[in-house]
Amino acid sequence: MNEKKSIIITDEAIKAQRNIINKIANLNKNKCLKFHIKTYGCQMNVHDSEKLSGMLKEMGYINTKNIEEADIILFNTCCVREHVEIKILSRVSQIKELKTRKPDVIIGICGCMMQEKEIVDKIKNYYPYVDLVFGTHNLFKFPEILLKAIFSDSTVIDIWDDNPNIIENIPIKRADAIKAWIDINYGCNNFCTYCIVPYVRGREKSRRPENILNEIKSLANKGYKEITLLGQNVNSYGNDLHEGITFAKLLYMVNEINGIERIRFMTSHPKDLSDELIFAMRDLGKVCEHLHLPIQSGSNRILKKMNRKYTKESYLEIIDKLRVNIPDIAITTDIIVGFPGETEEDFKETLDLVKKVRYDAAYTFIYSKRSGTPAANMEEQVDKNIKHERLEKLIELQNKISIEKNAELNGKILEVLVEGISKRDKEKLTGRTRTNKIVHFLGKPDLIGNFVNLKIKETKAWTMQGELIQ
Ligand code: SAH
Ligand code: SF4
Ligand code: F3S
């Protein structure tokens, strides 16, 4: 989508970024400058923001939640659905007023939206107060781009088309001290016809297992208890390394790391979900009993048009196998309604599938046309009102199932990793079960970071209340 740039990255190029970090840190000495990052989109973006925070921290900036007192404001963007894009652009428009009041503030935009040429052109033409723009493939170059922006009057724009290299050792400032995100593979090769991710995140590439394991070991040494392995399709981890390593094999290695008690991962593509992975989930004590397995649609006709490469029947077979091998497993999913050509009959098949699987939770989306993807040019785009009606029906059904499934846990004793103080009720603590359900309970803050057993007392669709078992 963008102009091709040189993509051979040498050790010197990486060292150069380190030197620039030191240079900016020197410039910032005794200045107490602050940064604020607004992150949109999936966990991969959240984790990229942790890398941006890590670099900013080493450059001498400190984090602030208050955008008004920030010296650098970064928008890490998502473009998976159009309305998110509109929201982000409107937020960037609002920032003009702040920039007029405080002209020294540096405004930057990065992330997936910046890999769309039309959007970068829009920024260039209509948002001249933006100081720097970069994309997903050259995040490691942020120090260099920032240094240029500090000394430039015009917008510094640096976007790469792709980057086959994986850059290790970017500083990371993690938002949490108990659980951590770990990238295992980047990009996506699947090209589902509705999805823009392969165009903005590039082709699939796996991190070397030793780099992943070393990162997790160092987290364990710092006291982290839970890790989530991240990728657009974790199940195809290792395919590009051609060394026989698979995602399941990686899980066996991670399971050996002392100190880490819980292992999670996302997202899994049904077409690549192997028996080897199901058995690993069954046999490895630290791998949690939760699987996020997006179905997208319950109609084979629509699945084909989506290029998902599985059928409703093969998906249901996987669900059966999972439930036989891991009886308490929680299963969650993603579903799109209103994909081009989706009829009432197709939608009914989605509802039927939801009834059959009885998901613990589902993330439901209205199909959003993404230009450049094959589905955007398909005929029979579904009427907006029909899409909304279908979404409502689907949410109503799933809520009912989530409530019923959680109610089955009433009175049970479950292990919870305590994550922090509850946002809603400051008297309470909050944590998650191995099945990824959120539980609130009364307890002292010194329990944060520990495992406790809770008796489940009250359940809703998304959260539960528990009582500490001494
Ligand atoms: N790689 C993951 C996640 C991709 S994005 C996966 O394959 O599951 C997260 C979810 O956004 C997708 O699962 C899909 O349900 C939804 N999504 C992606 N593109 C969309 C579009 N154009 N309109 C509506 N929902 C979309
Ligand atoms: Fe998008 Fe499909 Fe890749 Fe997921 S697997 S990121 S939905 S193209
Ligand atoms: Fe959005 Fe990019 Fe993630 S488009 S969903 S932030 S990979």
Side-chain angles (χ1 to χ4, degrees):
M1 284 188 176
N2 288 292
E3 178 198 343
K4 205 110 200 146
K5 295 233 174 147
S6 164
I7 44 181
I8 303 300
I9 296 164
T10 58
D11 286 350
E12 274 66 42
I14 295 164
K15 256 189 229 147
Q17 299 306 314
R18 170 62 47 196
N19 289 338
I20 296 170
I21 288 182
N22 295 335
K23 205 170 182 174
I24 300 182
N26 263 329
L27 285 175
N28 287 346
K29 225 178 223 166
N30 308 323
K31 283 196 188 149
C32 196
L33 297 178
K34 295 182 178 154
F35 72 91
H36 179 91
I37 305 181
K38 188 95 193 77
T39 309
Y40 301 85
C42 66
Q43 293 318 328
M44 262 144 274
N45 250 23
V46 172
H47 189 42
D48 278 354
S49 287
E50 292 186 328
K51 294 178 192 168
L52 293 166
S53 301
M55 290 189 263
L56 282 160
K57 194 171 157 256
E58 297 211 351
M59 290 186 271
Y61 295 91
I62 52 172
N63 191 8
T64 175
K65 288 200 169 119
N66 180 0
I67 200 164
E68 281 290 331
E69 60 175 35
D71 301 283
I72 295 189
I73 299 166
L74 284 183
F75 293 88
N76 190 6
T77 62
C78 169
C79 54
V80 79
R81 282 170 290 276
E82 192 184 17
H83 72 93
V84 182
E85 235 174 44
I86 294 170
K87 190 167 100 185
I88 295 170
L89 287 177
S90 120
R91 194 71 194 91
V92 177
S93 307
Q94 288 163 10
I95 218 76
K96 186 178 177 186
E97 182 271 325
L98 189 149
K99 179 80 179 176
T100 319
R101 265 191 291 125
K102 294 172 70 183
D104 288 341
V105 175
I106 293 176
I107 313 285
I109 319 186
C110 59
C112 297
M113 244 170 109
M114 298 305 110
Q115 295 298 138
E116 295 179 279
K117 194 173 176 308
E118 321 76 71
I119 298 283
V120 175
D121 288 344
K122 212 179 222 177
I123 302 282
K124 240 189 268 179
N125 295 331
Y126 301 107
Y127 303 77
Y129 53 90
V130 170
D131 298 287
L132 60 103
V133 173
F134 59 100
T136 56
H137 301 299
N138 61 341
L139 185 113
F140 78 102
K141 275 189 78 191
F142 170 53
E144 187 181 329
I145 298 163
L146 175 60
L147 185 64
K148 276 191 196 146
I150 291 173
F151 294 107
S152 167
D153 288 334
S154 52
T155 313
V156 177
I157 299 178
D158 193 350
I159 310 283
W160 289 15
D161 209 30
D162 199 353
N163 178 1
N165 308 72
I166 290 181
I167 316 297
E168 293 289 344
N169 300 320
I170 296 180
I172 299 176
K173 173 77 185 83
R174 294 180 189 274
D176 197 296
I178 301 157
K179 49 182 198 165
W181 312 106
I182 321 282
D183 290 327
I184 64 161
N185 52 358
Y186 302 93
C188 181
N189 289 353
N190 291 319
F191 291 95
C192 303
T193 53
Y194 50 81
C195 184
I196 199 167
V197 171
Y199 305 92
V200 296
R201 286 273 171 177
R203 291 300 70 71
E204 219 166 78
K205 51 189 182 202
S206 302
R207 267 181 95 188
R208 296 215 47 81
E210 59 273 21
N211 292 336
I212 298 171
L213 297 171
N214 285 339
E215 185 177 348
I216 300 173
K217 278 178 201 156
S218 96
L219 288 168
N221 288 337
K222 288 181 188 144
Y224 280 84
K225 298 283 186 342
E226 180 180 305
I227 52 142
T228 303
L229 306 173
L230 288 180
Q232 291 298 347
N233 177 11
V234 288
N235 297 353
S236 58
Y237 171 78
N239 287 355
D240 55 319
L241 295 177
H242 308 291
E243 293 170 9
I245 178 105
T246 60
F247 179 55
K249 291 199 176 90
L250 182 72
L251 283 180
Y252 278 91
M253 295 189 248
V254 176
N255 198 66
E256 292 297 307
I257 298 176
N258 288 332
I260 298 298
E261 306 285 346
R262 284 180 173 188
I263 304 167
R264 302 186 186 279
F265 52 88
M266 66 189 297
T267 300
S268 290
H269 194 301
K271 82 174 165 61
D272 297 312
L273 197 126
S274 62
D275 286 355
E276 189 196 18
L277 177 59
I278 296 176
F279 300 147
M281 290 184 78
R282 178 193 66 190
D283 297 339
L284 295 174
K286 295 178 184 175
V287 176
C288 291
E289 295 76 28
H290 169 228
L291 184 69
H292 185 65
L293 194 63
I295 177 75
Q296 312 298 0
S297 166
S299 150
N300 284 341
R301 206 177 64 82
I302 297 296
L303 286 172
K304 194 153 198 274
K305 283 184 82 176
M306 287 177 162
N307 192 30
R308 290 291 288 180
K309 300 198 175 86
Y310 54 83
T311 59
K312 169 175 75 180
E313 291 76 18
S314 66
Y315 184 93
L316 286 170
E317 227 173 84
I318 297 173
I319 300 290
D320 281 347
K321 231 184 255 175
L322 283 162
R323 291 214 163 114
V324 167
N325 285 285
I326 312 150
D328 292 331
I329 192 167
I331 301 173
T332 54
T333 200
D334 291 347
I335 303 172
I336 298 174
V337 299
F339 184 82
E342 184 189 72
T343 60
E344 267 315 306
E345 191 45 46
D346 294 317
F347 176 62
K348 211 180 138 285
E349 286 194 61
T350 298
L351 294 178
D352 286 345
L353 184 120
V354 167
K355 282 181 205 152
K356 268 202 188 104
V357 178
R358 291 182 63 77
Y359 292 106
D360 290 81
Y363 298 88
T364 50
F365 308 104
I366 284 182
Y367 167 72
S368 168
K369 209 170 169 179
R370 303 288 50 218
S371 81
T373 64
N377 298 326
M378 285 181 190
E379 285 167 10
E380 308 175 89
Q381 296 285 332
V382 177
D383 174 82
K384 197 171 147 217
N385 292 333
I386 295 180
K387 286 194 210 174
H388 281 272
E389 273 168 31
R390 288 182 187 164
L391 184 76
E392 262 172 46
K393 266 189 205 153
L394 179 60
I395 292 176
E396 195 186 322
L397 169 65
Q398 181 52 49
N399 269 350
K400 185 173 156 280
I401 296 171
S402 297
I403 289 168
E404 286 168 6
K405 290 213 77 157
N406 284 345
E408 290 166 17
L409 300 173
N410 237 320
K412 293 229 159 97
I413 294 168
L414 299 176
E415 181 203 80
V416 163
L417 172 57
V418 187
E419 292 179 1
I421 310 248
S422 160
K423 280 194 189 121
R424 285 233 185 107
D425 181 350
K426 301 277 179 240
E427 300 271 287
K428 289 192 172 172
L429 299 176
T430 181
R432 278 171 201 260
T433 64
R434 285 177 63 95
T435 51
N436 211 30
K437 308 218 175 198
I438 299 168
V439 193
H440 302 297
F441 66 103
L442 278 174
K444 297 217 173 76
D446 58 5
L447 288 175
I448 294 170
N450 291 295
F451 290 94
V452 293
N453 285 321
L454 298 180
K455 185 166 188 177
I456 304 303
K457 286 284 178 190
E458 195 191 316
T459 60
K460 289 189 186 154
W462 287 92
T463 56
M464 312 196 282
Q465 303 292 323
E467 197 177 85
L468 206 51
I469 303 286
Q470 300 300 344

